Amino acid sequence: MSSSHRKIMINRAPVLTLWTAVVAERLGLDRDEALTLGKALSGLTAQAKGVRLGIYEPTPET
């Protein structure tokens, strides 16, 4: 297989976590707060995508 046909799979959650943390730090949050926000955002987007793909059932609103 030539190098032009190779596929690279990337787990997007750590990338989104880092990107969110960098943006949050630039907006004035300290490092711990920024990382917490990044983890929360990546978790929420992963859950939403799982629901869209039918992997998870949507949580009923209380």
Side-chain angles (χ1 to χ4, degrees):
M1 178 182 271
S2 71
S3 63
S4 64
H5 291 103
R6 289 185 180 172
K7 291 185 180 181
I8 297 174
M9 294 183 67
I10 298 173
N11 183 350
R12 298 179 332 191
V15 175
L16 180 59
T17 301
L18 179 60
W19 176 79
T20 304
V22 168
V23 171
E25 279 189 79
R26 292 214 171 186
L27 291 174
L29 275 68
D30 69 27
R31 180 162 289 169
D32 288 338
E33 292 171 330
L35 285 171
T36 299
L37 179 61
K39 289 178 185 179
L41 182 64
S42 66
L44 286 172
T45 57
Q47 178 71 22
K49 185 169 187 176
V51 169
R52 282 193 312 274
L53 294 175
I55 297 169
Y56 305 120
E57 292 292 322
T59 305
E61 293 186 26
T62 56

